[in-house]
């Protein structure tokens, strides 16, 4: 014994805490920015979680996949930078702090801007690192010494510089614009922040009287209160219904205002009467028409959703109350032609679900088209690769239809826009530093724009701002462009597309070579996890119950490209068994491994030795290929198969006689050396997936001193390269495994006691197969518990046996004296009767219309599955009964 024995059970909590601290203390996550380091650079910037964030399964998946790549690359010898940080998350954070203050009866407006911002910073200091601690509990090997925050000094300087440069290049402008406006949050919303819902509403048909003749066009609207802000009625130039009218104007009801009739082929003649009310201040399409025709914009709904002075008699009313008032006033005047039920799509604020009001407002915009063009080309020319490819098309479609990006937000928490207006000359100054006097007139009465920038503006700069831009830092020099961005598809446009635009514009190089888009984590039935459905699996409690490695391995094992992950605790529990299996295999192996590496000659290797080395070689190749190409599930599943079904199930069993010295010293030494090699390499292969348990075992393995994080990935180790994958040993071993499995199956099917030793006849046509089986007679006899093994050429199937045909031979087990035919028949009959009863019960349920109608779909599915399982079982038992009856007739 080597004194390296390990505990009987694996205790994740203690092990995880100990090794994470060790890794951090020993600087194992640190990137080397010096130019002297010649190792290839590999870099990832973390998608910065919101500072208000609480770890959910999406983070757990995203973080696990990045960590797998980073740990893998370190093992390959790369100089790895995984740059972490958090996002200030403007609106989200402001909301959290506002709610907290409201609980104490404080309103931010009472506090004033400076004090409120102070309060947010205090909140951030107190609670803002919770998400970072949670990322660490997942084992994330980020270079924490370089942690950044989108509002820290360096990143804020980068934001101002980008704003000023884009402004000077004419790519940022200020303009009146129809924007999505939330009257509750009092802020502009991006198109993507508006959630559309189809609602039952009404279509109101209103007559606008002609100025100098009878009648008038009828317009239709779902929002009649906006008519107070109409500044024209539009008809199609070819519309015969309006060809002969003498009026150029109509009288806008309830206001008495005279508004022009304009002709524009934008109008759809087929819709209603072919006349369209134009409200430039409250509808994006009308705004565009208004600009073309030089129409005035009359804003009748203010920023709080209240009717403005311009609404005349209706001023001061809530917009929805006004809708009712306008409708009844029109009714009284006989101008309401009809009201129809009408289903239409209504935009809601993504945060508070208030109905969004298209609103005219002065906002800052990024002119995105020129930036988008280069970002599209970069992907077309494969400077950046999107994986899986199916997302590429979405990216193109979105980028080609991109609209200017409204970047101003009417909140306090964020990067305040670096633009100042002079109160004296009213001119605007945009600068990275607050000017002391107005550069236009010398006045010192300067007022900074109160708005802040959209949160995504600063995160768009993340790949280079975090590395010290605008300075030319060694970090940028070494690690930009980054190697890969790992992200969910939900922020492909919010974030990835904008990083592409900004990265290319300011760095003249794409921000990342690869974008790996991972799937969603759903519940076991494929439903989205949500608090309201009560199906959320909390990663922190999973870690407490099953250990981090089990969670990580589960996520990786199901991370197939383009397929969502269906997660259940049961699956995680299953992979905890795998971690325990590895632990137990290591425990067994370590008992046989000495501090000194035993010498052996290649000719001392047994078939099983050669076979497992060959399988190891293939598994190594599979893991590195799958991680190189983001097939995380293939790597994980390959390792699972290798460790459980090849190393544990077969090799350890086959090698026991040699390991226990029952053959000779040479084969014992050879088996020990192979055992060491396999355990050593498999720990390294597994390390990216399950970092904690592998580090723990690694330190008990003779001949290892340093952290496993500094070990070389096996493919680069010349010792293993010498032992090639060996097809002959694989074929030979497969033949033996087939025969053993056949005997084991017959034992199971025939209910033969495990202790009964058997007489077996193996008939193989091929002389090479016979020679191979003969050569490994001991292994077959031991592993299949055979007393008497005869290996013969093909021939008649012997009587009184159960036979299985495998690809290399026919395997027959003599049953006489092994089983009591009568007793076995009675047992089978009993089992069959029991199953028949079960099926009857299930049939009853499945024929019950009430059950089918009322039970949840998954419950019904479960019953169907039980039915199918029982039916299959019965068929097997009946087949066995038939076999035994035949045997019985032979015997008598
Ligand atoms: Zn809102
Ligand atoms: Zn001035």
């Amino acid at each position: 014994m080597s004194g390296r024995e390990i505990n009987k059970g694996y205790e994740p909590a203690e092990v995880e805490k100990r090794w994470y601290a060790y890794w951090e203390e020993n600087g194992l996550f640190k990137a080397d920015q010096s130019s002297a380091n010649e190792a290839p650079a590999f870099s990832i910037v973390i998608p910065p979680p919101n500072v208000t964030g609480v770890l959910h399964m999406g983070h757990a998946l995203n973080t696990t996949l990045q960590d797998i790549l980073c740990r893998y690359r370190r093992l390959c010898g790369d100089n790895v930078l995984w740059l972490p940080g958090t996002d200030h998350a403007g609106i989200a954070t402001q909301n959290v702090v506002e709610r907290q203050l409201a609980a104490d009866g404080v309103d931010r407006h009472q506090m004033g801007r400076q004090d409120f911002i102070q309060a947010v910073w205090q909140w951030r200091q107190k609670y803002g690192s919770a998400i970072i601690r949670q990322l660490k509990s997942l084992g994330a090997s980020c270079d924490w010494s370089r942690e950044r925050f989108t509002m820290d000094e360096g990143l804020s300087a980068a934001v101002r510089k980008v704003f000023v440069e884009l402004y000077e290049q004419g790519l940022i402008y200020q303009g009146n614009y129809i924007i999505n406006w939330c009257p509750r949050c009092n802020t502009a919303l991006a198109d993507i922040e508006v959630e559309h819902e189809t609602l039952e509403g009404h279509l109101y048909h209103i007559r606008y009287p002609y100025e100098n003749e009878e009648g008038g066009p009828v317009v239709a609207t779902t929002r009649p209160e906006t008519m107070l802000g109409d500044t024209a009625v539009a008809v199609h130039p070819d519309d015969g219904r309006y060809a002969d009218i003498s009026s150029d104007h109509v009288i806008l009801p309830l206001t008495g205002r005279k508004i022009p009739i304009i002709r524009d082929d934008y109008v759809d003649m087929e819709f209603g009467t072919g006349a369209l009310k134009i409200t430039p201040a409250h509808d994006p399409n009308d705004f565009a028409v208004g600009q073309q025709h030089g129409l005035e914009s009359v804003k009748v709904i203010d920023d709080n959703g209240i009717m403005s002075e311009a609404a005349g008699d209706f001023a001061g009313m809530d917009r929805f109350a006004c809708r009712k008032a306008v409708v009844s006033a029109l009714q009284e005047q006989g101008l309401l032609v009809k009201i129809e039920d009408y289903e239409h799509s209504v935009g809601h604020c993504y945060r508070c679900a208030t109905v969004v009001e298209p609103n005219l407002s002065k906002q800052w915009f990024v002119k995105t088209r020129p930036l988008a063009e280069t970002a599209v080309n970069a992907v077309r020319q494969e400077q950046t690769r999107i994986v899986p490819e199916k997302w590429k098309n979405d990216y193109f479609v979105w980028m080609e239809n991109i609209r200017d990006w409204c970047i101003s937000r009417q909140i306090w928490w964020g990067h305040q826009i670096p633009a100042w207006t002079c109160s004296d000359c009213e001119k605007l100054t945009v600068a990275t530093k607050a000017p002391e006097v107005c550069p236009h007139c010398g006045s010192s009465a300067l007022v900074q724009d109160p708005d802040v920038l959209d949160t995504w503006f600063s995160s768009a700069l993340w790949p280079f701002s975090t590395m010290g831009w605008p300075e030319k830092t060694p970090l940028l020099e070494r690690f930009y462009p980054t190697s890969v961005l790992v992200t969910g598809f939900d922020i492909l446009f919010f974030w990835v597309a904008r990083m592409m635009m900004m990265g290319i514009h300011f760095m003249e190089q794409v921000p990342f070579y690869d974008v790996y888009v991972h799937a969603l984590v759903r519940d076991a039935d494929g439903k989205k996890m949500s608090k309201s459905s009560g199906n959320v699996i909390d990663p922190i409690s999973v870690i407490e119950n099953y250990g981090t490695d089990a969670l990580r391995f589960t996520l990786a094992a199901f991370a197939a490209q383009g397929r969502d992950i269906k997660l259940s605790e049961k699956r995680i529990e299953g992979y905890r068994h795998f971690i325990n299996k590895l632990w137990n295999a290591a425990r067994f192996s370590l008992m046989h491994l000495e501090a000194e590496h035993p010498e052996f000659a290649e000719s001392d290797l047994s078939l099983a030795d050669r076979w497992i080395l060959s399988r190891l070689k293939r598994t190594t190749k599979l893991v590195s290929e799958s991680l190189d190409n983001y097939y995380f599930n293939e790597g994980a599943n390959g390792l699972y198969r290798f460790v459980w079904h090849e190393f544990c199930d077969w090799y350890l069993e086959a090698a026991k006689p040699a390991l226990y010295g029952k053959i000779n010293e040479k084969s014992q030494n050879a088996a020990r050396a192979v055992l060491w090699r396999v355990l050593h390499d498999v720990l390294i292969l597994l390390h990216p997936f399950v970092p904690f348990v592998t580090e723990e075992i690694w330190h008990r393995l003779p001949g290892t001193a340093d952290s496993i994080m500094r070990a070389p990935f096996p493919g680069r180790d010349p010792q293993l390269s010498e032992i090639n994958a060996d097809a002959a040993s694989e074929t030979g071993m497969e033949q033996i495994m087939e025969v053993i499995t056949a005997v084991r199956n017959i034992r199971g099917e025939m209910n033969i006691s495990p202790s009964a030793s058997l007489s077996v006849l193996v008939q193989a046509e091929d002389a090479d197969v016979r020679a191979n089986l003969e050569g490994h007679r001991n292994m077959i006899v031991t592993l299949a518990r055979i007393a008497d093994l005869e290996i013969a050429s093909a021939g008649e199937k012997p009587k009184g046996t159960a036979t299985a045909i495998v690809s290399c031979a026919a395997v027959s087990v003599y049953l006489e004296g092994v089983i009591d035919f009568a007793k076995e028949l009675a047992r089978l009959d009993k089992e069959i009767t029991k199953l028949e009863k079960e099926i009857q019960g299930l049939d009853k349920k499945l024929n019950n219309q009430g059950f089918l109608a009322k039970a949840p779909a998954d419950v019904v599915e479960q019953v169907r599955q039980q039915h199918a399982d029982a039916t299959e079982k019965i068929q097997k038992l009946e087949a066995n009964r038939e076999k035994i009856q035949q045997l019985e007739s032979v015997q008598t």
Side-chain angles (χ1 to χ4, degrees):
M1 295 291 160
S2 61
R4 287 174 174 263
E5 289 156 76
I6 58 179
N7 295 341
K8 214 162 174 194
Y10 176 59
E11 300 289 345
E14 183 271 326
V15 169
E16 288 170 13
K17 218 170 123 195
R18 179 155 43 81
W19 286 120
Y20 200 87
Y22 173 92
W23 292 329
E24 275 204 285
E25 278 158 22
N26 287 277
L28 288 161
F29 300 159
K30 281 197 174 150
D32 183 0
Q33 65 177 35
S34 79
S35 54
N37 186 328
E38 284 180 353
F42 180 85
S43 56
I44 296 184
V45 288
I46 204 169
N50 285 359
V51 67
T52 53
V54 177
L55 194 79
H56 55 64
M57 270 304 166
H59 294 121
L61 173 66
N62 181 261
T63 304
T64 296
L65 299 184
Q66 292 177 76
D67 196 49
I68 289 172
L69 293 174
C70 288
R71 287 178 185 271
Y72 167 61
R73 283 284 151 198
R74 284 190 199 99
L75 296 171
C76 291
D78 288 7
N79 178 9
V80 172
L81 168 66
W82 185 10
L83 210 162
T86 48
D87 193 284
H88 68 281
I91 294 178
T93 309
Q94 173 154 335
N95 263 359
V96 168
V97 178
E98 272 190 87
R99 267 205 303 274
Q100 204 184 49
L101 291 171
D104 301 334
V106 184
D107 179 89
R108 77 176 154 100
H109 295 283
Q110 297 165 349
M111 295 178 80
R113 185 168 187 143
Q114 291 317 318
D115 286 352
F116 177 75
I117 290 173
Q118 270 303 313
V120 181
W121 277 108
Q122 278 163 9
W123 180 93
R124 191 233 169 203
Q125 221 170 10
K126 206 162 163 196
Y127 303 105
S129 51
I131 186 81
I132 295 295
R133 279 196 305 275
Q134 292 177 321
L135 293 178
K136 289 183 176 181
S137 75
L138 281 166
S141 59
C142 301
D143 185 345
W144 297 108
S145 68
R146 300 183 193 277
E147 185 187 334
R148 302 306 295 265
F149 179 52
T150 47
M151 288 273 283
D152 69 25
E153 221 168 285
L155 269 62
S156 300
V159 163
R160 286 195 300 272
K161 180 154 174 86
V162 164
F163 187 93
V164 171
E165 282 193 14
L166 289 177
Y167 178 77
E168 283 167 358
Q169 292 161 357
L171 291 170
I172 278 184
Y173 64 92
Q174 202 180 18
N176 265 337
Y177 211 79
I178 280 278
I179 45 145
N180 306 299
W181 183 268
C182 174
R184 201 219 62 98
C185 302
N186 232 273
T187 187
L189 298 170
D191 288 348
I192 230 158
E193 291 168 335
V194 176
E195 287 172 353
H196 290 274
E197 196 188 334
T198 302
L199 292 180
E200 305 278 345
H202 300 286
L203 193 61
Y204 301 87
H205 298 259
I206 310 166
R207 185 178 303 281
Y208 288 3
Y210 286 127
E211 183 190 7
N212 15 336
E213 56 199 289
E214 283 297 296
V218 175
V219 298
T221 178
T222 56
R223 297 183 297 149
E225 68 282 7
T226 62
M227 65 153 294
L228 302 169
D230 285 3
T231 52
V233 168
V235 297
H236 196 281
D238 302 335
D239 194 332
R241 289 169 287 189
Y242 305 103
D244 300 327
I245 52 170
S246 58
S247 304
D248 294 330
H249 290 83
V250 295
I251 306 295
L252 186 65
L254 310 183
T255 68
R257 256 196 298 128
K258 230 169 70 173
I259 58 172
I261 300 167
I262 58 171
R263 291 167 199 271
D264 193 306
D265 53 18
Y266 153 78
V267 180
D268 177 8
M269 281 198 278
E270 306 297 316
F271 185 73
T273 60
L276 207 61
K277 69 193 270 303
I278 301 294
T279 326
H282 297 288
D283 182 279
N285 297 319
D286 293 7
F287 179 73
V289 172
Q291 282 202 316
Q292 267 166 23
H293 291 268
L295 297 175
E296 205 192 330
S297 294
V298 177
K299 189 168 159 172
V300 290
I301 304 171
D302 75 7
D303 293 351
N304 299 310
I306 304 296
M307 304 311 290
S308 70
E309 287 304 315
D313 294 346
F314 300 92
M317 291 178 103
D318 172 78
R319 56 184 167 152
F320 296 117
C322 176
R323 179 172 300 176
K324 285 187 186 147
V326 162
V327 169
S328 67
L330 289 168
Q331 235 154 3
E332 266 169 39
Q333 297 185 18
L335 293 171
L336 191 71
V337 178
K338 63 174 171 177
I339 305 176
E340 275 180 294
D341 287 340
Y342 193 70
E343 223 176 48
H344 64 134
S345 163
V346 178
H348 293 81
C349 171
Y350 79 116
R351 287 185 35 238
C352 74
T354 297
V355 173
V356 165
E357 196 63 48
N359 207 348
L360 190 68
S361 145
K362 204 170 201 185
Q363 299 291 334
W364 290 93
F365 290 88
V366 173
K367 197 182 275 178
T368 36
R369 200 157 280 279
L371 299 170
E373 247 163 56
T374 51
V376 163
N377 287 339
V379 173
R380 280 206 201 288
Q381 291 159 9
E382 300 202 323
Q383 291 159 33
T384 293
R385 206 161 61 108
I386 297 180
V387 184
E389 249 203 353
K390 69 163 182 168
W391 292 110
K392 215 160 100 175
N393 204 42
D394 290 57
Y395 173 86
F396 289 142
V397 169
W398 191 78
M399 288 297 247
E400 278 154 12
N401 293 299
I402 198 167
R403 282 169 57 178
D404 283 356
W405 173 20
C406 177
I407 49 169
S408 37
R409 293 289 181 274
Q410 289 63 46
I411 56 174
W412 288 349
W413 176 241
H415 299 101
Q416 195 171 350
I417 289 172
W420 289 261
T421 306
C422 173
S423 308
D424 289 326
C425 73
E426 292 184 356
K427 282 189 175 142
L428 192 72
T429 305
V430 168
T432 52
K433 271 197 204 136
E436 287 181 7
V437 293
C438 170
H440 306 285
C441 75
S443 160
S444 58
L446 292 168
V447 180
Q448 187 171 4
D449 191 311
D451 288 0
V452 301
L453 289 166
D454 179 9
T455 292
W456 298 103
F457 190 88
S458 50
S459 41
L461 320 180
W462 187 248
F464 53 95
S465 64
T466 51
M467 295 194 200
W469 186 90
E471 302 303 319
K472 278 192 176 133
T473 62
L475 204 62
L476 275 171
E477 183 67 34
R478 196 94 183 81
F479 292 106
Y480 189 96
T482 62
S483 310
V484 55
L485 179 82
V486 179
T487 182
F489 64 83
D490 48 338
I491 49 175
L492 197 56
F493 310 131
F494 269 131
W495 189 45
V496 180
R498 285 163 183 170
M499 282 191 287
M500 287 291 286
M501 294 193 276
M502 294 297 193
I504 296 169
H505 192 74
F506 287 96
M507 297 297 298
E508 291 172 358
Q509 259 182 313
V510 292
F512 13 74
Y513 293 121
D514 284 353
V515 175
Y516 175 68
V517 182
H518 60 68
L520 277 181
V521 184
R522 297 175 176 276
D523 77 1
D525 300 321
K527 288 190 206 107
K528 210 173 165 179
M529 286 189 191
S530 71
K531 268 189 196 151
S532 55
S533 313
N535 61 351
V536 173
I537 304 178
D538 169 28
I540 297 301
S541 76
V542 163
I543 287 173
E544 281 164 10
N545 294 337
Y546 304 100
T548 301
D549 287 336
L551 173 62
R552 290 173 58 119
F553 201 83
T554 311
L555 291 171
F558 288 101
Q561 284 191 10
R563 213 183 312 140
D564 284 346
I565 297 177
K566 290 185 187 174
L567 191 69
S568 66
E569 290 222 9
K570 219 169 166 188
R571 287 187 154 169
I572 301 164
E573 200 183 349
Y575 285 104
R576 184 183 58 181
H577 292 324
F578 173 67
I579 305 292
N580 290 338
K581 187 85 179 171
L582 173 70
W583 183 258
N584 290 332
R587 260 186 93 228
F588 172 83
S589 303
L590 291 171
M591 291 192 299
H592 295 277
L593 298 177
E594 305 287 336
E596 284 299 303
H597 219 357
E599 290 288 320
F600 73 98
E602 211 174 317
S603 59
D604 298 332
L605 292 172
S606 71
L607 175 67
D609 292 337
R610 281 187 286 121
W611 169 75
I612 199 69
L613 289 174
S614 185
R615 297 305 305 158
L616 175 65
K617 180 98 182 166
R618 287 192 203 276
T619 306
T620 304
K621 196 160 164 255
L622 171 73
V623 171
S624 71
E625 279 176 0
S626 59
L627 293 187
D628 286 342
N629 296 294
Y630 311 107
Y631 292 107
F632 297 92
N633 58 322
E634 290 184 10
N637 294 327
L639 280 164
Y640 183 95
R641 255 193 327 270
F642 177 77
V643 170
W644 194 304
H645 298 302
E646 296 181 328
F647 182 56
C648 294
D649 283 355
W650 289 101
Y651 180 71
L652 290 182
E653 295 306 314
K656 270 179 186 166
L659 287 171
Y660 286 118
K662 288 182 182 161
I663 301 171
N664 55 43
E665 203 186 333
K666 277 181 175 178
S667 34
Q668 186 180 34
N669 284 346
R672 282 180 176 177
V674 170
L675 193 59
W676 185 89
R677 166 58 62 197
V678 174
L679 188 59
H680 174 272
D681 285 7
V682 91
L683 287 174
I684 300 174
L685 299 183
L686 278 167
H687 176 73
F689 300 89
V690 287
F692 294 107
V693 69
T694 48
E695 183 79 277
E696 178 71 4
I697 298 170
W698 181 259
H699 287 262
R700 320 292 177 105
L701 187 69
T704 59
D706 205 349
S707 165
I708 193 171
M709 287 186 65
R710 289 206 179 98
F713 196 80
R716 299 170 173 240
D717 178 354
Q719 229 192 315
L720 185 85
S721 311
E722 283 164 21
I723 303 161
N724 288 315
D726 172 355
S729 74
E730 290 190 11
T731 313
M733 188 69 185
E734 269 157 27
Q735 291 165 358
I736 291 163
M737 294 191 297
E738 271 188 339
V739 169
I740 295 168
T741 305
V743 176
R744 286 177 179 168
N745 287 345
I746 292 172
R747 247 186 218 281
E749 281 166 19
M750 293 292 162
N751 199 30
I752 299 170
S753 132
S755 62
S757 47
L758 305 173
S759 290
V760 174
L761 171 68
V762 178
Q763 293 165 301
E765 200 162 348
D766 189 322
D768 290 341
V769 171
R770 289 201 299 277
N772 177 45
L773 298 177
E774 198 57 68
H776 299 94
R777 167 178 281 280
N778 280 340
M779 199 196 311
I780 300 173
V781 162
T782 313
L783 295 186
R785 294 208 182 118
I786 297 173
D788 178 21
L789 174 66
E790 188 188 345
I791 298 164
S793 53
E796 289 271 296
K797 174 184 173 286
K799 295 201 167 130
T801 62
T803 302
I805 308 292
V806 296
S807 70
C808 70
V811 180
S812 301
V813 175
Y814 290 91
L815 295 175
E816 223 186 307
V818 173
I819 57 172
D820 179 332
F821 293 131
K823 218 167 140 191
E824 182 59 12
L825 278 177
R827 184 190 71 88
L828 287 172
D829 284 337
K830 206 171 142 197
E831 288 253 328
I832 289 167
T833 317
K834 203 174 116 199
L835 280 170
E836 276 169 350
K837 271 199 190 131
E838 188 187 327
I839 288 174
Q840 271 171 15
L842 294 170
D843 272 335
K844 229 184 210 168
K845 266 192 186 173
L846 290 173
N847 290 327
N848 178 345
Q849 292 308 319
F851 169 75
L852 293 180
K854 277 181 212 147
D858 50 334
V859 173
V860 175
E861 188 42 46
Q862 217 178 345
V863 173
R864 288 219 164 93
Q865 193 55 48
Q866 283 169 357
H867 191 276
D869 291 347
T871 311
E872 200 189 311
K873 239 190 216 162
I874 255 188
Q875 280 165 352
K876 265 196 187 149
L877 294 176
E878 274 167 353
N880 282 352
R881 183 166 66 177
E882 208 166 302
K883 265 189 211 165
I884 291 173
Q885 273 168 339
Q886 280 167 7
L887 294 172
E888 205 181 16
S889 66
V890 169
Q891 196 184 31
T892 48

